[in-house]
Every structure is written in C-alpha cells, then in structure tokens.
C-alpha cells in the first residue's frame, strides 16, 4: 500500500511538472505567432502595428481565452491556515499532513485583502510570473543589448543633450507626475473614493518615477527601419536607454525613502538620504558594470601577446564575454546595487573597449547572441503584458486615477522636452528644431521597464491601482503612438530614408564655410566631453585595446618605463587600428585636437565623412592624425 | 509602525533575492575559471584532464569551501509543524503567522528520515538545484546539439551497428547491472546491512538503466581534437547519443513498472506493460520531435516561393527554428512523453531537412547558438556534479554497494561491446577490429545523463545510495578514463590525425579491386537503411527541402498533378542543390542506386571522396548521378 501511495504522489508531481511545460508552451505558441505575424507585416511593409503591439495583442487574446475557458480547480488554496507555533516565516516550511511531511518554499507576504485573489484559478496563477523574473532574466539581455549597440555615430556628438534629457528630464517628469497625481489622489479622497487607503506623496512620486521610464523598443525599431534623421534617432535612442537606468534607480531610491514621522510632511534628512542613495546606487552600479567590462577587455587584450591566444577559441571568448557581462549584473545585485544599470554600462564599455579586441568571429557571435536574446526577451515581455491584463487577478481599475495618470504623463513629457530643448538650444551649435521636439514629445511611449517596475510590488491597494494604470497606459501608448509613428513623421515633415553617411557629408559641406565662429561656442559646451575623449583616446584605449597611439608617445617622458610595460610589443605594429574613432569623434574635436597643433586648414569634416562613408565597422583606420590626412587625400582624389 | 514593518519585510525579500544572485555568481565564477583553464590547457596542449574533468574539480573545491565556511543559519527550517486542518498538500499554502499572511509554494514530499537533512545550512540548500532544472533547462540544449550535429559522414554507413549498440546494448547493460546489483543487495542484506530498507529487483533495474547512459561529451571531445579514426568516432558518437535516449526512456518505464502483488515476483502483465510503455514513449517522443522539425522545414521551405521570404530575416528564421525546437520538447513533456528524446530526434530531423532550407546566415546563427548553449550547459552540469558531492546533504556512502556497482558497470559494458561486436562483425563488410572494441569498452564513461537520472528522485534511502554511487562512478570514469584516453589510444595503436576525406579515399582505393563480391553481403545487411534512404531521397527531401530530384520525376505518372503542386516552381531551377548527400550516401548505395541503371563501372568511391574533399558544407552539388560524374572528372583532372 505504501508503495502505491508513493506512485500517486510522484504522479502528482508530474502533473505539476507538466503544467510548467504547458505554460511555457503557451508562451512559445504566442512567440511563434508573433514571429509569423512580423514576417507577414514585413512582407507587406505594414507599419501601423509594430511587432511589439502585435505581441501584446496576441497576449491579450490568449489571456482572455485562458481566463474564460479554464476554471477554478484548487479550492483549498484560498484558505488561510493558522499556526500558533510559528513566530516568523521561515524560508522552508515542513508540514506534517496526515503523517506525510511536505516541503513548502517561502514565496512572500500577502495583504489580507489579497487573500481572496488567491482563491481560484490555478492556471491563472501559473501564468503569472514571479516579478523577479523580469528583473533577473528578461530585462538584462534587453538592456545589455541596448548598451552594446549604443556605439552609434552621432552619439557622442549629442552626449550633452542626451544626458540632460535622461537625468534632468526624468527627474522633472517624475516630480511633475508625482505632484499631479498627488492632487488627483487628494481630490479622489475628497469625493469619497479611496476610503481607508494609505496613499502618501511618496507613493505618488513612486508612480511618477516608474512612469518616467520611456520605451526604447517600439518607436526606435520603426525609426531604424525608415532611416529617420540620424540626429533625432540618436537623441531618442540615447535618451530612452539612459532614462531607463535613471528611472530604475529613482524608483528604488524613492521606495527606500522613509520619513521617520509624518509620511506626508517633508523630511529633509530622509530626502537627502534618498538623493544620496540615488547617487550612490547609480555610481556604484556604473562602477560595477564598467569594471567587469574592463576586466573582460584586459583578458581579451592578452590574446595578442605571445603566451596566449584566446581569440583562437571564439567559443571560449564568447563564453567569457557572456559570463563576465552576466557577472556584472549579478555582482551588482548581490552588492545591493541595481543590476540593470550595471549591465547597461557594462554593455557600453564592452562595446567601447572589449569589442575592439575580439576576434572577428567573436564579434559576430556576441552581436548575434545578444541580438537574439534581446529579440526573444522583448517579445516575451510584450506578450506577457498582454496576458497580464486578464491573468493578473488583483487589478484595481479606477477611471479617475487612470485619467489623471494619462494627463500627468502627457504634461510631464511636455515639461521635460520643450523647456529642456529650449535650454539646450541656447548652447547647441546645431539647434533641435521644433518638429524634432514634437516628435520626441510624441515618442514618449511607456513600455517594458515601466511595466516591470510596476509589477515588482503589487501588495497594497495603491500599488495594485498603479500597476493597472501603468499597464493601460503602456497599452495605449504602444498601440496609438507606436502605430501613429509613421503618419506623425510625415505630418511633421521629418526626413526619412536618410543615409547617415551622406547626411554627415552634406552637413559638413554646408558648415565648412562658416567654420571659424562655431568652434568657440562648441568648445565651451562640450568641454567635459572633449576632456574625456582625450583621456580615453590617449590612455585608456592604448591600455585596454590595441587602438589609439602607443602609450610611450602619449604619457609624459618620465613614465616611459611604465608605458613600455603596459604597451604590448605587438601594439606598435597594430597601432594604426582604431576602428571606432569614427563613432566617437566630433567634427570640432577633430579640428581642435589635431589641427590646433598642425595649424593647417584641412576641411576636417570631410575626413570624418570619408571615414564613415566606407560603411564598414572593421575598417582598420589610422591613428586619427595620420589617418585623417591619408583618407582626406583619398577623398579628394575621388573628386576631380 | 505598520509602514516600518513593511519595509523590513521588503528587505527580507531582497535578502532572498540577493542570495539567488550570489549562487548564480558562484556558478559564473566556476565557469569563468573553467574557461580560463581550458584556454590554458589548449595553450599547452595538455590533454590528461579534459575540460569536463576540470569543471568537476573546480566544482568539488567550491563545494568543499561552501560546506565548511558557511554555517547553519536557519534554525527553524528543520522543525516539522503539525496542521490538523489540512487533509492534503495544496499547491499554495497561505499561513497566518502573528497576524500576517505568508504564501508558501508546494515543493514536494519528504521522507521522515530526510527531515534532518533539511535542518541546517541554508546556503547548501540554495546551492542544490531543483533536479527538474537538469531535465528542463540544462539537458535539452546538450541533446539537441548532439542531434543537430549528428549529421556526420560515416553515420549512415554505420547506422545498423549504432542502433544495435544503442538499443540492444543498453538493454543488455541495464539487465546485467540490475542482476549483479540484485545479487550484491541480497548479500548485503544477508550480512546485516540495509536493515529495514525496501530494495526490490525493480530498484536494481532502475539503477541499471540509469547507469547504462554513457557520456557523449568527454571522450568525443578528445577524439574530435585528435582526429581519431572516423569509423570509431562515428560508432562511439552515434552509440552514446542514441543510448542516452534509450536509457532515459528505459528508466522512465522501469519506474512506472509496478507489479500488483509481491514486488519481487515477476509479474508478466506488468512487465509487458512496461515494455509497451517503453515502446510507446519512445515512438511517441520520436514522432513528436520529428513532426515539429518537419513543420519547421515546411515553414522555412516556403521562403523560396514568390509570396514570402523568411530567409530575408535571419533573426525571425533563427527565432522560429529555436522556438519550434523548444516546443517539441515542451509538447512531449506536456503529453507525458520524454522531452529529451523528442528534442534529440527533432535535432536530427532539423539537421536533415530544415538546415538545407535556411539562409546561410541562419545556418551559421543556429549552429553557433546551439553550440554556445551546449557549451554553457555542459560546463554547468559538470561544475554542479563536483559541487553536489559536498553540497548535497543526503548522501549515503556504502562501500560495498559502490564496489558492486563499479564491477557491474564494467562487466555490463564488456557484455555489451564484445558479444555485440562479434555478432555485428558477422554481418559487417568492414569488421570492427579488436582494438576498436577495446577502445569502445574503455570509452564507456558515465556522465551528465546518468547524474541527471539519479538526482531526479532522491527521496528513499535506496535512491540516495544510488545517487551517491552514480556520482562517484561519474567522477571516477571522467577523471580516470577521460584522462587516460590519449595514452589508451596510443597503447591500442589507433590511428589519430586522420583526415576523414583521405581516409575514405584510401579505403575506397583498396576496395575498388574486390568490389563485386561485397555488394551482395552488404545489400542484405543494409536493406532497411537503403529502403529508407531511397524513400527519403525521392519523396521526403523534394517535399521538405529543395534538394533531391523534383517530385514529378520520382512519383508515378498518375501522381503528376499532385507532384506539380507540391514541388515549388523554383525547385526546378534549384534541383541541383543537395548539399548533404555526401553525408548520407553509402558507397554501396551509390553504386546500386545510380549505377545499376547505368551499368558503367565508375569507381563510385572516388566520387564520394572527391565530393567530401572540397570540405565545404554549402557546396551546391548536383543531383547525385550528375554531380558524381562531374566531380569525378575534376578529381581525375587533379591527378595526372
């Protein structure tokens, strides 16, 4: 008899196991459907529903089907049991039920009012992921990929503006949404809604910070496909990627902010602690991410010395690259920092240094691997967002709150883009035109990050209402604004089908006449960028990659012994290789760094564009000073 | 106050979350160490410790460190609580502890004697994976990769022998280990060990079946690196890959075998039910795996028609390929079949059909993706095996049982290889020489599959003892036999550094003289293979890929209308493309299929090897009859 019972329990476990397979199969099915749809759309050049919108739609339909075709099976799961002996919740609970010991794993605390949500449909519960899956499995590849592909032309040119939008803009957006929502909540309390809820200003700020994360996926995919004006693309891409990092850390610091006494009163100490937290977490995550990337760069750098050749084993190289990048994420998490931010800056640094050291095979492997992981993770998240509307069981739809949030998000975006653009235009040589500003305003979609931040904590009623609201705003913006991108571009008369190389060339030609007066204004605004670029080019690149001039020429003379050790013997032979100079140099920087000493009025912009016109990533280009002249000669030779 | 409490509980959760990061970081660290070691080994051409052995060693050391540096933290976890109200174990348990509701997730049943194993070190518990992770996450990529790269030359040539070793050999091995172990267990009971244990013959057979899974990783990696004789390589590779599938299904069927009355007596009905289960699960999984692959082939096949071009979007193609292959696994699991077996045959079928339809970019992407996943999964498993020796808390070391198992494994391998080789040699044209047999005997390592099968169920004491024993045998064989592979090859005077093309050519030359008498013997032994090959080449390949002759020529005349529909218009243009004929053809088949009609004594073997000598995979080769002549001409032209 005992034997028989055992088999029954094993079968029970199998049932569990098979259900896991069924859920994953549902996702696989949705993804396959999405891929087939994308294929069809691409085939018909249909752009009114982006793949992310399609994935959401399929998720929605599937959620609807699951909700209304499966029925409540596990009656017992809604019952709350009393246990007098337990004083706190242990991580593993062993319970003796009818003389058999069962093991239970701690999942979390539940508010009393949510208990009834747990009564019911086991299938729905199974389809609801653990929120930490988003932060630990799905987001890292997306964010890393964004960082890894941030090595875009025009990026460093617009760095100042991007940083302003990302840091200042996100802070503005967060505060404005927080303030407006606080007003709405006060009004709702006044008219008798939200009875007995605890809804503080910090909660409103929390909502503001999570709603400030804009989506780097939907619009940019369309921009990329249509070859929209490069400056606009770079501004939006840079802003939305960095803005995610800022929003995540901001949300984290706000949730730690806990004033000691009255939660509604302003507590200066707690506020400054939160600001300190923000800066600490951001800087720590940044340092963690980049240091792992630097380690990777150093290891892969070693392959050119005599002793070892890692580049001969692309699999090992790719494996190491992958594992060290993932370790950056995990270390940041383990240290209490933000893994997502660490992985973003790890990606940026990997692209800037390590990428240059990789073998051609590994360059392609890593790119394709992260591209693929990004593709899958993105579609899973958007499918899941669609599913969550029907499978999540604790939604609180409050029309007034949703209306208030929509208004707040719209106003906050406006207060972010227009004033900042105005201020930036004061300093920018090349102004951000009105139609770009309107387009940036329009492209403020909310996506995966806002969703992931909102789903992290859905215990209290305010948080549940925020989650529902965030989800609906994501739906609305992805479908309406995402779908409206192409018409909007036409309406705002923004150039599409731009070849970035041609673009730069034309621009350079128009500028070459009025070259003198602009250098001075530019020099001030981009001073920090230029200092960094100089330092990077002279010291970091030679140490971490085989690009840039040998250290022996850049370091002061008394450092020569050290410089000789740090510069590998082969570096002298390879010193002409710096294959991303064309990405990070700036017309004016070029002029100043390399012409100010030479004092020859070479049309610097022409060099840059001829460099870029080759279009290849792996062009083995000369050290800038030299290569510029060479290429310029080639270029003039081509134009009789 | 309530607020404060909440933050505390959030922090608690964070603690959990961060510990997850720490564990993963430990694995990442081990993998990075392993990669660096492999790099060092490859650099020094050091072959006495294979990377798998290295990974295990690092895991072992790390396990030792974790075991003796971390201490028991969770005192409460060993206590068993009573709950009178519960009648059975619900999947989610809500418990009210000091007025807060905690959610607990069902993990499994625990035997009473294991309860004390749960008392103690939380870190050790965390480092112990859920066994289902092996079967659902780590093994599928390894097995799929094996299937996907099974498309090896010489494979179909040795198909009969491979199937014999895999099916008959595994069954023999299972029964012999089971019998010997039953004897040992009886003896142990006799001398007073194993008091009060339930240890039936089925348990012994269960152990036999799991210990019959040989490792396809360690030895074959060395063989591949050393370019060992191609026939030996193919025999071992085919055997160990298929043998895993057989052992998994066998283990599954034996664990279902439950005689109604006395578990020691032979129950014919239950036995035949088990045999039926075996056949049903195997055939079902095979069908599930191949049908998903056929669907993939059909979808990717569509890309050559006018309407749609999936191959223009390699990312979508790769995504679809990946998702459909994974769905094969999940569907099999959901249907109660064996996912691993499904994924194996899915891989084989994908390689045989879909691979031909993929764009060149996708061919490379899929290959590299699965290669990478395989690499990571393999190293994780071997690291984990090392870890498990110290972190698993319910080991039962029984020297007598371990000794018995070692003897049994050795004898079972001998009874598998030598008699079957003798029988096979009766029918084989090209005998399996004695030194090959010795090498196959020596290469019977146990690895990841045996481990994963053993760790699946460690509830009862016999199962725990089996797990410990299996783990030690894996360690011993991987280190001793894996490390001894190179010396053994030298000692047995087996050729290394063989170029498979040259090999085949030389062989062909030596055979061309005595060509006539062999065809007849071969014709009988490979009859089934030839029928299948013929059917595949004439009907399946033209329907699923663009290789092979157009259907209009192979189908009978009255089928012409159907054939025209099934053959896409472009197929006629592309009919000369069949890039894996060189893998699956057999010298004799070539002779018979294409010469029997022509009656020209062309040295058929020469064709094959000249085809292979090009070394490329994507050579657009002619339909065999034609291409052979062309290439043969080229070949003779090259040899004046």
């Amino acid at each position: 008899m005992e034997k028989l019972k055992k088999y029954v329990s094993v079968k029970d476990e199998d049932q569990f196991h098979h259900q896991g397979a069924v859920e994953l199969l549902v996702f696989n099915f949705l993804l396959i459907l999405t891929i087939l749809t994308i294929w069809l759309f691409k085939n018909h050049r249909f752009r009114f529903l982006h793949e992310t919108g399609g994935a959401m739609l399929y998720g929605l339909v599937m959620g609807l089907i699951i909700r209304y075709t499966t029925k409540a099976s596990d009656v017992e799961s809604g019952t709350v049991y009393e246990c007098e002996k337990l004083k706190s919740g242990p991580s593993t609970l062993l319970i003796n039920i009818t003389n058999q010991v069962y093991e239970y794993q701690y999942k979390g605390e539940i508010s009393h009012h949510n208990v009834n949500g747990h009564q019911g449909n086991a299938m729905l519960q199974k389809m609801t992921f653990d929120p930490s899956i988003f932060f630990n499995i799905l987001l890292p590849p997306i964010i890393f990929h964004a960082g890894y592909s941030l090595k875009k032309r025009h990026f460093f040119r617009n760095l100042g503006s991007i940083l302003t939008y990302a840091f200042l803009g996100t802070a503005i957006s967060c505060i404005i949404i927080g303030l407006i929502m606080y007003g709405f909540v006060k009004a709702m309390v006044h008219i008798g809604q939200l009875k007995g809820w605890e809804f503080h200003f910090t909660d409103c700020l929390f909502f503001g910070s999570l709603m400030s994360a804009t989506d780097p996926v939907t619009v940019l995919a369309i921009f990329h496909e249509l070859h929209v004006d490069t400056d606009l693309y770079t501004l939006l891409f840079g802003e939305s990627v960095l803005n995610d990092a800022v929003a995540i850390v901001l949300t984290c610091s706000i949730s730690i902010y806990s004033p000691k006494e009255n939660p509604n009163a302003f507590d200066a100490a707690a506020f400054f602690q939160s600001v300190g937290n923000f800066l600490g977490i951001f800087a720590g995550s940044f340092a963690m991410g980049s240091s792992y990337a630097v380690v990777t760069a150093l290891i892969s750098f070693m392959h050119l010395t005599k002793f070892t050749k890692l580049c001969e084993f692309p699999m090992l190289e790719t494996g190491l690259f992958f594992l060290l990048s993932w370790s950056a994420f995990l270390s940041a998490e383990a240290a209490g920092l933000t893994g997502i931010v660490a992985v973003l800056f790890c990606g940026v640094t990997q692209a800037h240094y390590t990428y240059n050291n990789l073998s051609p095979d590994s360059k392609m492997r890593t790119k394709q691997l992260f591209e693929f992981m990004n593709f899958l993770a993105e579609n899973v998240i958007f499918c899941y967002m669609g599913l969550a509307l029907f499978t999540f069981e604790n939604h609180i739809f409050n029309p007034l709150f949703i209306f208030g949030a929509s208004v707040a998000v719209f106003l906050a975006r406006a207060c972010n883009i227009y004033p900042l653009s105005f201020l930036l235009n004061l300093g920018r040589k090349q102004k951000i035109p009105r139609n770009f500003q309107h387009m940036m305003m329009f492209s403020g979609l909310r996506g995966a990050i806002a969703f992931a931040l909102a789903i992290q904590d859905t215990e209290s009623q305010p948080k549940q209402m925020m989650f529902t609201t965030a989800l609906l705003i994501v739906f609305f913006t992805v479908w309406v604004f995402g779908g409206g991108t192409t018409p909007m571009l036409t309406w705002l008369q923004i150039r599409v089908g731009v070849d970035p190389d041609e673009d730069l060339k034309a621009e350079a030609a128009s500028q070459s006449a009025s070259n003198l007066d602009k250098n001075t204004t530019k020099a001030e605004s981009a001073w920090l960028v230029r200092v960094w670029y100089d330092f990077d080019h002279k010291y970091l690149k030679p140490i971490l990659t085989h690009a840039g001039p040998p250290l022996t020429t850049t370091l002061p003379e008394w450092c020569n012994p050290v410089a000789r050790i740090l510069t590998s013997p082969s570096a002298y032979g390879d010193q002409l290789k710096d294959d991303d100079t064309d990405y990070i140099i700036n017309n004016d920087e070029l002029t100043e760094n390399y012409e100010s000493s030479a004092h020859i009025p070479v049309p610097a912009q022409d060099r840059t564009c001829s460099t870029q016109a080759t279009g290849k990533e792996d062009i083995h280009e000369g050290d800038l000073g030299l290569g510029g002249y060479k290429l310029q000669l080639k270029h003039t030779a081509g134009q009789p």
Side-chain angles (χ1 to χ4, degrees), chain A:
Chain A
M1 262 321 280
E2 213 238 300
K3 185 120 198 165
L4 211 71
K5 216 190 283 165
K6 207 185 202 170
Y7 283 129
V8 170
S9 88
V10 166
K11 272 202 176 160
D12 265 7
E13 222 169 88
D14 278 359
Q15 213 68 46
F16 272 98
H17 175 77
H18 291 159
Q19 263 207 342
V22 172
E23 294 139 36
L24 284 173
L25 208 54
V26 168
F27 274 100
N28 266 16
F29 175 71
L30 286 177
L31 289 179
I32 291 168
L33 220 60
T34 308
I35 288 182
L36 292 178
T37 314
I38 301 171
W39 176 26
L40 202 72
F41 281 8
K42 291 213 175 188
N43 221 38
H44 289 96
R45 308 195 172 283
F46 182 82
R47 278 196 200 91
F48 294 99
L49 184 62
H50 182 64
E51 55 189 78
T52 51
M56 259 167 45
L57 196 64
Y58 285 128
L60 200 78
V61 173
M62 184 58 88
L64 209 65
I65 293 171
I66 292 174
R67 171 135 212 151
Y68 294 108
T69 57
T70 61
K71 51 188 175 183
S73 55
D74 207 344
V75 201
E76 228 165 335
S77 64
T79 326
V80 181
Y81 296 93
E82 299 289 330
C83 205
E84 293 84 18
K85 285 172 206 156
L86 276 166
K87 290 288 159 286
S88 64
S91 61
T92 321
L93 189 66
L94 301 180
I95 291 195
N96 193 341
I97 301 166
T98 58
N99 213 24
Q100 276 182 304
V101 183
Y102 293 98
E103 189 183 0
Y104 281 85
Q105 182 94 50
Y106 179 79
K107 266 194 81 184
E109 200 191 323
I110 293 176
S111 306
H112 288 275
H113 64 94
N114 286 337
V115 167
N116 57 345
H118 284 263
Q119 202 160 14
N121 201 320
M123 185 67 186
L124 289 190
Q125 278 173 38
K126 296 249 163 188
M127 291 305 293
T128 315
F129 282 167
D130 185 355
S132 69
I133 287 182
F134 286 100
F135 269 84
N136 295 321
I137 295 172
L138 294 173
L139 283 187
I142 296 180
I143 302 291
F144 183 86
H145 180 73
Y148 200 49
S149 53
L150 202 61
K151 190 179 135 172
K152 292 259 179 282
R153 309 166 190 193
H154 293 244
F155 177 69
F156 276 80
R157 223 175 113 137
N158 292 304
L159 189 63
S161 310
I162 289 171
L163 290 178
T164 313
Y165 284 126
F167 280 85
L168 212 55
T170 310
I172 291 173
S173 167
C174 167
I175 291 165
I176 287 186
I177 297 178
L179 285 172
I180 295 178
M181 287 328 286
Y182 193 59
F184 263 94
V185 167
K186 280 274 168 219
M188 282 158 79
V189 171
H190 195 73
I191 61 167
Q193 289 190 324
L194 316 182
K195 257 180 200 162
W197 288 25
E198 278 194 68
F199 213 131
H200 306 300
F201 182 57
T202 44
D203 292 322
C204 294
L205 270 185
F206 177 83
F207 183 69
S209 64
L210 74 88
M211 286 314 291
S212 298
T214 58
D215 174 48
V217 178
T218 311
V219 170
L220 291 168
I222 300 172
F223 274 31
H224 184 76
E225 211 169 292
L226 292 176
H227 295 284
V228 167
D229 185 281
T230 330
D231 270 312
L232 178 60
Y233 181 83
T234 317
L235 279 174
L236 262 177
F237 186 75
E239 187 225 339
S240 52
V241 168
L242 288 179
N243 144 296
D244 287 346
V246 175
I248 289 168
V249 181
L250 207 55
T251 312
C252 178
S253 338
I254 289 172
S255 73
I256 301 173
Y257 172 82
S258 51
K260 284 193 188 78
E261 285 148 31
N262 180 0
N264 277 317
F266 179 77
D267 183 337
F271 173 75
F272 283 112
Q273 207 193 334
S274 271
V275 172
N277 274 332
F278 174 83
L279 295 176
I281 294 175
F282 203 92
S285 308
F286 175 85
M288 187 69 87
S290 8
S291 52
Y292 267 96
V294 166
V295 168
T296 321
L298 281 175
I299 292 178
S300 59
F301 178 67
M302 277 154 59
H303 77 237
L304 284 175
T305 62
K306 262 183 219 158
F307 178 65
T308 41
K309 291 156 204 143
L310 186 58
C311 69
E312 277 181 26
F313 314 106
M315 177 61 85
L316 298 185
E317 218 179 359
T318 311
L320 207 61
F321 188 94
F322 175 81
L323 289 171
L324 279 167
S325 304
W326 194 21
S327 297
F329 173 81
L330 293 172
S331 304
E333 287 289 309
L337 303 165
T338 310
I340 301 280
V341 177
V343 99
L344 170 66
F345 290 107
C346 181
V348 174
T349 318
Q350 297 279 35
H352 197 60
Y353 300 114
T354 317
Y355 188 79
N356 293 319
N357 296 341
L358 294 179
S359 63
D361 193 11
S362 289
K363 278 185 189 178
M364 215 186 43
R365 272 171 190 252
T366 52
K367 259 191 180 174
Q368 290 183 347
L369 179 70
F370 290 114
E371 202 183 327
F372 183 70
M373 284 167 63
N374 170 61
F375 175 78
L376 280 189
E378 225 171 75
N379 283 302
V380 169
I381 288 193
F382 278 93
C383 276
Y384 186 76
M385 282 200 260
L387 265 178
L389 192 62
F390 288 103
T391 57
F392 184 73
E393 293 181 280
N394 296 319
H395 278 303
I396 297 182
F397 291 94
N398 185 321
L400 201 59
F401 192 82
I402 294 167
F403 171 74
S406 312
V407 171
V409 165
F410 180 80
L411 285 180
R413 183 79 187 161
C415 295
N416 166 358
I417 297 296
Y418 295 119
L420 286 185
S421 304
F422 175 76
L423 288 177
L424 286 170
N425 275 344
L426 294 181
R428 274 178 76 100
K429 183 185 60 179
Q430 198 193 350
K431 309 289 179 211
I432 301 168
R434 289 307 275 186
N435 60 348
F436 279 24
Q437 294 179 28
H438 295 319
M439 197 63 219
M440 285 182 80
M441 172 75 207
F442 185 81
S443 307
L445 311 192
R446 312 296 135 141
I449 311 278
F451 173 81
L453 285 170
I455 207 176
Q456 256 193 321
D457 180 6
T458 54
E459 273 307 305
S460 65
Q461 280 166 315
K463 294 283 162 74
Q464 286 168 4
M465 194 169 70
M466 287 177 193
F467 172 65
T468 308
T469 309
L471 189 58
L472 287 176
I473 291 179
V474 168
F475 272 65
F476 182 76
T477 54
V478 167
W479 279 336
V480 174
F481 294 111
T485 305
T486 322
M488 198 66 180
L489 283 171
T490 322
W491 193 66
L492 288 174
Q493 298 181 308
I494 289 170
R495 291 186 309 154
V496 293
V498 175
D499 177 0
D501 309 321
E502 288 299 317
D503 190 28
L504 207 63
K505 207 185 286 182
E507 193 184 285
S510 76
Q511 277 174 7
S512 55
S514 54
N515 211 7
L516 280 166
D517 55 303
K518 270 165 206 151
N519 278 345
T520 44
T521 51
K522 185 66 190 164
E524 280 151 319
S525 67
W527 173 80
L528 198 71
V529 173
R530 214 170 47 252
V531 167
W532 159 249
Y533 169 69
D534 213 42
F535 177 74
D536 178 51
H537 181 74
K538 278 195 189 155
Y539 308 111
L540 292 182
K541 285 234 159 180
I543 292 174
L544 296 173
T545 71
H546 284 284
L551 276 179
T552 36
T553 62
T554 55
L555 281 176
E557 206 151 313
W558 56 268
C559 293
N560 257 353
V562 183
R564 257 192 220 110
I565 292 163
L566 285 173
T567 314
S568 77
S570 56
Y572 294 97
D574 268 0
Q575 60 177 268
L576 291 179
K577 184 177 156 193
D578 184 3
D579 57 12
D580 63 3
T581 33
D582 53 331
Y583 292 100
I584 63 155
I585 47 159
N586 175 305
N587 298 339
D588 298 274
E589 279 163 45
L590 230 184
T591 321
E592 284 175 27
N593 288 341
Y594 296 94
E595 279 184 356
S596 56
S597 55
H599 290 295
I600 310 171
V602 180
Q605 289 79 3
D606 262 21
R607 288 188 223 156
T608 326
C609 38
S610 57
T611 309
Q612 288 179 348
T614 62
K616 271 190 244 157
E617 280 230 22
D618 284 314
I619 31 169
H620 290 246
E621 207 143 295
D623 176 39
L624 266 184
L626 268 151
Y629 288 104
K630 262 194 253 166
L631 281 160
Q632 197 250 331
L633 286 173
K634 223 168 68 186
H635 185 66
T636 21
Q639 285 186 326

